[in-house]
Amino acid sequence: MHGASGFPKNLVSSFLFLSGATALVYELVWSKYLANVLGNSGQAHAVVLATFMGGLALGAYVFGRTADRVKSPLAMYGLLELGVGLYALLFPSVLHVLSAAYLAVAVKVPDGVRVGPKLALAALSLVVPTMLMGGTLPALVRHFSATLAHVRRELARLYAINSLGAALGVFLAGVSLVPALGLSLSAKLAASINILLALGALALARKHPPALTQSAPAEGAAPSEGGDELSYPHSAVRAALLGVALSGFTSMLYQVTWIRLLSIVLGASTYAFTLILTAFILGIGLGSFWLMTRKGRGDLLRLFAWLQVALVASVCVALPLYVRLPYLFRKAQFMMNRTLDTWPYFQGLTFAYCCLVLLVPTFFMGAAFPAAARVATAKVTEVGRQLGGVYLWNTLGTITGAALGGLVLMPWWGMEGNFIAGLVGNLIAAGVAFAAIPGRPAQPARAFWPLGIGVACGLLFLLPMSGWAVTLSGIASFRMHEAPPESYTAAVSNYEKSTQPLFYRDDTFATVLVGELKNGHRFMKLNGKVDASTGLDMETQILAGHLGMLLHPRSPENVLLVGAGSGVTAGSVLAHPVKHLDMVEISPAVVDAARLFKAVNRNAVDDPRTHVHIDDAKTFMALAPLQYDLIISEPSNPWVAGVSGLFSRDFFRTADLHLTEDGILVQWIHTYESSEEIIKLVMRTLRETFPYATTWLGPTDLILVASRKPITFDAKKVAERLALPDVREDLGRTDIHDVFGLLAKQVHSDQGQQEFASTGPINTDDRNLLEYAAPVAFFLQNQETRVHDERRGPDGGARLWIHRYLQENPPTAEQAANLYRNLDRNHAINDPLVRGSAALWYSLAPDSLEARVALANTTLAQKDLTLAESVLAPALERGREDPRFVTAWMKLITARAWATRTAWTPASGLTETVALGQAQVAAHPDDPELSKALKALCEVVPQSCSSPGSAPAVAAPAGP
């Protein structure tokens, strides 16, 4: 084979491995670049993927024909790599010019038809490099193949090498290159590799001619014993082309569905997406590698058909595993310590689960494509053209699968329907192939019996599993606050007993589930993660809507809300006299699900002032015709892939462009499952665009109120707005009734926030630090990040607005009580803020039994037993009939007993307190805190609790 064998062959194969790696680096980097312009919506992703795949197919078709005619296909390969590398260096500049043109055109186009300009932008920016990439494999197959036997072997070998390189490329890009270098430097590194590959290939091409240096063997020559030289009839070629189109369609249909399924199981972080794609491409590469090592015997068209049946069987058999994955993954990760040292092991565990789901079916996909491609190759002298045609048919299927699978079929029939459609497509491809096999048996039963295996698997596994997707979403849980149930059956049972599903839908962007707990609280899950609820989320959702409206220098009329969630924030905005509310939500199902929360969101979705836009926030804002008085950004957690872009300098600058001169931006961020550095990063990034900002709420959620100009607090104006009936009623749900209650929620003054944020890096679209830091912080599961709350500062919060307000408006006992109730609901009981509010209340209402109990509970939580006793003991006679007082008293007696009792210093008053507790539990059997306190006390004196029915008569117990 001249110089095509031996050392140059292995070296050039390594070139293809590296170019496969750089291709996936480009795909990841360019997709992120385009997402910054087109958004992260399902439509935008489909447009970019379709353009990328279409360019590869077009390149394979065009340059495949060229490879048959050129003197040195290897030199052609080198020129293609050189073109890719040079274009990659120019890509940011090209995209900048095209983006400006896109924005100029798209703003004049109605929302419903903007997919046209999006497709044009993606096509114009990607068609050149993807066409060049698409021509590389046909060129090298043509260079190495001297006979049709070589075509089968070399195609499988090179396809495997290219796929394995691609798997390595996407892995390195997603977990190492882009996190460390950012988008532009990662692309430049890949470009330098392509240029080096090009120079190497051009140098080798001068010394090593292609394997086929003379005309191919005559057509119709007798096939070899193994059948490798067989030239298939036209019917078989047509079947192979239809087969690769169908397998391309089903592979993308599966990929879209597997990504959604594994996002629900593993969490939709950018690391998870990287590992999913790595496992997917790795399986394809291993399948091609297996075909390469398979000896040349048997009919490849028959093999292709059998691989389709095997793919169907592998998916069907795995279906019972799919629904168990949330439980299995939760149980596996529960056994891990949450430290930075174990983060790589967690990634390994995640990758193992990706391989568990993907490796077997993608193995069959990877073997099927080169097998069908060899069937469609009739002449070795035209291998480039014919292989390009195979790629074209395959890519038509993949583009259709990507577009229909995500944009049409997923919303239509969901994950379950997508799997069924994929299985049917594979069986059709298998049936067509079996029908076209030369010399197949005349009896249909003998010719098509393997299809019965696939049908039987479908009936056996699919029918009993109907409805599995709802169960999958229901039991999914990323947070490890408690041990998982003992078994999958127990997990499902617990879910079914505690939760009633009210809504389930798969849409282009997310799988949305709304459930109701036994206590009446509702929650909304997106891809397995709770994003809104009527429980502890209520204060955050309500205040996010009110803060900007109350603090704005004038009454806002035009408001933009990023993220619909449960609609509670929108309802809070609409409690004010706004004229226009644009609500931007990327997931259509979320908007419909929000209607199930109308009892708590004031029917915000269907309010005539609300205008719902299904779009990515960045894309919408870039094209928004309005300037807003107020923008509220309340997206999902930044560890979710794509969300961190809404915390970047680029996003804040876009928001700034669409705010009026005195406009305000309200930005939500969480402190749970986060870190101090992440909070500082977000604040620094925000303040680079908006130099004035304050922090509100806490402790687990923060609301940042930012502006170009300093906000002057006007107590009178705020009081007038708080007095509006709808506003007063809405905020009353959080026990905020007046200016004092509102100001008590301020965490940082402008200066205090700036000091806390300090100096450091900024989060940008090119170097998105948050996208890669947030998933790590989520893994560590830190439940509360300290943010130097000025309310607890050594100066008594002198820079906070409440400091000056209290000098002129001393609080009343009722205001102090409302403050305590608010903080007690949302803060840990041992939080000094809760104790401080209880102490204020008690100082203003010393005769209030409820105030005494409040202060006693907070001091007990901080182990200050002496103060708790001094508060409770004087009111013992008065409080013995109050279950809350008795609960606090039993907690005090229990804590004192454990702290002081020994064999020589026995505690007194225990038996009498047990009797008092038993009497109150009998009178209030539905009070869980009372029962819990009695149980704890009985652990101290079990002998007094062994026979509750014979308890002594209740008398006022002695002091401890």
Side-chain angles (χ1 to χ4, degrees):
M1 247 193 285
H2 304 283
S5 61
F7 171 73
K9 179 177 180 179
N10 295 332
L11 180 61
V12 174
S13 298
S14 68
F15 287 179
L16 191 63
F17 179 87
L18 291 174
S19 68
T22 59
L24 265 293
V25 173
Y26 292 137
E27 182 175 357
L28 187 144
V29 169
W30 292 343
S31 296
K32 288 182 180 292
Y33 268 123
L34 285 165
N36 293 330
V37 181
L38 303 178
N40 280 292
S41 67
Q43 183 191 77
H45 284 304
V47 164
V48 173
L49 182 60
T51 306
F52 203 95
M53 298 298 296
L56 292 175
L58 188 60
Y61 184 75
V62 172
F63 292 112
R65 291 169 176 264
T66 307
D68 291 328
R69 299 193 299 268
V70 298
K71 182 179 179 180
S72 174
L74 181 58
M76 173 184 159
Y77 165 81
L79 293 174
L80 293 174
E81 291 288 1
L82 182 62
V84 172
L86 294 176
Y87 187 91
L89 295 175
L90 297 173
F91 182 83
S93 300
V94 173
L95 184 62
H96 179 74
V97 173
L98 292 175
S99 298
Y102 162 76
L103 294 175
V105 173
V107 74
K108 301 174 183 178
V109 176
D111 287 354
V113 293
R114 280 180 181 163
V115 66
K118 289 181 179 181
L119 189 59
L121 171 62
L124 290 174
S125 60
L126 294 178
V127 67
V128 171
T130 52
M131 281 188 64
L132 296 175
M133 291 177 194
T136 56
L137 184 61
L140 288 185
V141 172
R142 179 67 181 82
H143 181 83
F144 285 127
S145 300
T147 65
L148 289 178
H150 293 152
V151 171
R152 180 193 70 80
R153 187 169 59 251
E154 293 303 327
L155 175 58
R157 184 177 70 87
L158 294 175
Y159 188 66
I161 289 171
N162 192 245
S163 297
L164 294 173
L168 178 64
V170 72
F171 176 77
L172 290 178
V175 305
S176 180
L177 288 181
V178 177
L181 304 178
L183 298 180
S184 60
L185 285 179
S186 296
K188 289 176 181 177
L189 177 61
S192 65
I193 294 174
N194 281 116
I195 293 171
L196 290 175
L197 294 177
L199 296 176
L202 291 172
L204 288 174
R206 299 179 63 182
K207 299 180 179 179
H208 302 283
L212 185 65
T213 56
Q214 54 186 355
S215 59
E219 243 184 293
S224 66
E225 185 179 348
D228 276 350
E229 294 298 328
L230 174 67
S231 180
Y232 285 84
H234 290 303
S235 60
V237 172
R238 287 194 297 269
L241 292 176
L242 180 59
V244 295
L246 283 171
S247 64
F249 173 82
T250 59
S251 67
M252 294 311 298
L253 197 63
Y254 289 136
Q255 186 187 71
V256 167
T257 313
W258 280 326
I259 287 175
R260 177 66 57 81
L261 183 151
L262 288 170
S263 296
I264 295 172
V265 174
L266 309 174
S269 73
T270 189
Y271 290 107
F273 280 122
T274 295
L275 296 176
I276 292 169
L277 290 177
T278 301
F280 188 92
I281 300 171
L282 177 63
I284 289 175
L286 292 175
S288 300
F289 184 81
W290 170 81
L291 186 69
M292 177 197 75
T293 59
R294 185 175 179 270
K295 297 298 182 181
R297 61 179 182 272
D299 189 330
L300 288 176
L301 189 59
R302 186 187 303 276
L303 175 63
F304 172 81
W306 269 105
L307 288 169
Q308 298 301 300
V309 174
L311 175 57
V312 169
S314 68
V315 173
C316 290
V317 170
L319 197 59
L321 169 68
Y322 292 170
V323 75
R324 288 166 170 78
L325 285 174
Y327 169 74
L328 295 174
F329 186 68
R330 183 182 176 189
K331 192 164 187 177
Q333 63 171 319
F334 184 75
M335 295 185 288
M336 301 184 70
N337 291 323
R338 299 280 173 151
T339 67
L340 283 175
D341 291 335
T342 57
W343 166 249
Y345 298 101
F346 175 72
Q347 293 298 92
L349 175 67
T350 302
F351 185 63
Y353 272 77
C354 294
C355 291
L356 181 66
V357 172
L358 301 176
L359 218 53
V360 173
T362 55
F363 176 91
F364 296 131
M365 293 178 190
F369 175 78
R374 164 60 187 89
V375 172
T377 307
K379 295 177 66 176
V380 71
T381 54
E382 297 181 1
V383 65
R385 179 183 66 81
Q386 292 170 341
L387 186 56
V390 173
Y391 261 98
L392 187 63
W393 278 91
N394 180 252
T395 306
L396 287 174
T398 58
I399 291 174
T400 306
L404 287 181
L407 299 181
V408 179
L409 300 181
M410 184 74 83
W412 188 13
W413 53 32
M415 286 191 291
E416 295 185 39
N418 267 7
F419 276 123
I420 293 172
L423 298 175
V424 170
N426 291 131
L427 288 176
I428 292 174
V432 171
F434 279 126
I437 293 173
R440 68 172 176 83
Q443 298 87 350
R446 292 184 59 194
F448 298 103
W449 70 267
L451 297 180
I453 298 175
V455 173
C457 286
L459 295 176
L460 183 63
F461 290 99
L462 292 180
L463 290 182
M465 294 291 295
S466 178
W468 62 266
V470 181
T471 303
L472 176 87
S473 293
I475 66 173
S477 177
F478 309 130
R479 296 184 169 96
M480 296 290 101
H481 298 162
E482 57 185 23
E486 289 298 318
S487 65
Y488 163 74
T489 303
V492 174
S493 176
N494 292 346
Y495 163 70
E496 292 176 344
K497 289 177 182 178
S498 64
T499 307
Q500 178 186 358
L502 303 177
F503 177 95
Y504 176 88
R505 185 176 302 167
D506 297 301
D507 69 18
T508 58
F509 185 80
T511 292
V512 180
L513 171 74
V514 176
E516 184 170 273
L517 302 177
K518 293 300 182 182
N519 61 8
H521 284 171
R522 292 188 178 183
F523 62 88
M524 180 190 296
K525 272 187 174 183
L526 269 70
N527 290 339
K529 186 186 83 68
V530 176
D531 259 0
S533 74
T534 59
L536 294 177
D537 293 321
M538 283 298 289
E539 183 182 45
T540 300
Q541 295 169 140
I542 291 171
L543 274 180
H546 284 291
L547 274 171
M549 300 298 300
L550 293 170
L551 299 177
H552 202 285
R554 55 186 174 81
S555 182
E557 295 182 349
N558 296 311
V559 180
L560 170 64
L561 172 61
V562 176
S566 63
V568 171
T569 298
S572 296
V573 171
L574 294 170
H576 298 263
V578 301
K579 293 182 178 179
H580 185 99
L581 172 63
D582 279 327
M583 185 164 66
V584 183
E585 172 55 54
I586 200 169
S587 169
V590 168
V591 176
D592 291 330
R595 291 187 169 92
L596 295 176
F597 292 83
K598 65 181 181 180
V600 293
N601 68 22
R602 306 170 59 82
N603 200 25
V605 176
D606 297 312
D607 190 292
R609 295 170 292 172
T610 302
H611 303 266
V612 177
H613 305 271
I614 305 300
D615 203 348
D616 178 86
K618 279 187 175 180
T619 307
F620 175 83
M621 290 174 65
L623 302 172
L626 280 178
Q627 277 203 315
Y628 297 96
D629 304 309
L630 173 64
I631 295 176
I632 303 170
S633 181
E634 197 180 14
S636 187
N637 304 63
W639 63 263
V640 176
V643 175
S644 59
L646 300 180
F647 296 87
S648 70
R649 177 178 60 190
D650 308 75
F651 173 75
F652 293 140
R653 286 180 175 176
T654 302
D656 182 44
L657 292 174
H658 289 85
L659 278 171
T660 56
E661 187 63 27
D662 58 354
I664 287 178
L665 171 68
V666 171
Q667 177 69 57
W668 167 86
I669 185 65
H670 62 95
T671 64
Y672 57 91
E673 297 156 352
S674 186
S675 70
E676 186 174 314
E677 283 308 311
I678 285 176
I679 305 302
K680 289 180 176 181
L681 173 66
V682 172
M683 290 181 176
R684 277 196 305 269
T685 304
L686 175 73
R687 294 184 71 95
E688 187 175 271
T689 303
F690 297 95
Y692 302 98
T694 53
T695 309
W696 299 74
L697 199 59
T700 56
D701 293 288
L702 300 177
I703 298 175
L704 313 179
V705 180
S707 59
R708 298 189 198 98
K709 300 177 179 179
I711 297 176
T712 302
F713 180 72
D714 187 333
K716 182 179 179 182
K717 188 181 296 183
V718 171
E720 290 173 354
R721 294 174 185 174
L722 284 169
L724 294 172
D726 289 343
V727 174
R728 184 172 63 248
E729 178 187 358
D730 199 52
L731 277 170
R733 295 184 291 175
T734 67
D735 284 309
I736 295 176
H737 303 276
D738 46 41
V739 175
F740 169 74
L742 179 72
L743 293 182
K745 306 304 292 184
Q746 188 180 6
V747 175
H748 289 145
S749 62
D750 175 62
Q751 186 179 350
Q753 188 192 98
Q754 188 172 24
E755 290 172 357
F756 173 70
S758 63
T759 58
I762 299 296
N763 194 51
T764 66
D765 284 345
D766 182 73
R767 188 84 189 279
N768 197 327
L769 303 171
L770 186 60
E771 183 174 19
Y772 298 96
V776 179
F778 176 74
F779 165 75
L780 296 177
Q781 297 276 294
N782 179 25
Q783 290 309 304
E784 185 178 340
T785 301
R786 298 297 180 183
V787 294
H788 300 181
D789 193 330
E790 287 188 74
R791 293 173 294 182
R792 296 175 53 192
D795 62 352
R799 295 179 299 193
L800 298 175
W801 286 334
I802 196 172
H803 184 77
R804 178 176 297 180
Y805 180 80
L806 287 177
Q807 292 176 351
E808 302 173 359
N809 303 274
T812 65
E814 182 182 1
Q815 289 176 319
N818 289 331
L819 175 60
Y820 168 78
R821 295 186 185 108
N822 173 278
L823 295 176
D824 181 50
R825 183 188 300 114
N826 299 291
H827 292 238
I829 187 64
N830 62 347
D831 191 323
L833 291 175
V834 181
R835 175 169 174 170
S837 64
L840 175 64
W841 182 14
Y842 179 63
S843 69
L844 295 173
D847 294 332
S848 168
L849 205 61
E850 188 179 358
R852 286 177 181 271
V853 171
L855 181 56
N857 283 332
T858 61
T859 52
L860 283 170
Q862 295 182 344
K863 309 300 183 184
D864 190 345
L865 305 186
T866 302
L867 181 55
E869 179 187 350
S870 69
V871 171
L872 292 177
L876 184 56
E877 286 295 332
R878 192 157 52 97
R880 56 194 299 271
E881 297 298 330
D882 187 316
R884 291 171 299 181
F885 185 94
V886 173
T887 299
W889 183 257
M890 286 193 291
K891 289 180 180 178
L892 172 63
I893 298 300
T894 302
R896 177 56 59 87
W898 285 120
T900 63
R901 187 179 64 177
T902 65
W904 50 88
T905 55
S908 61
L910 295 177
T911 303
E912 295 85 350
T913 304
V914 168
L916 176 61
Q918 289 176 334
Q920 285 297 311
V921 167
H924 305 278
D926 297 327
D927 189 329
E929 289 299 317
L930 185 65
S931 299
K932 183 179 177 181
L934 178 60
K935 181 180 179 181
L937 179 60
C938 286
E939 292 176 1
V940 180
V941 280
Q943 66 277 11
S944 299
C945 301
S946 57
S947 180
S950 59
V954 177

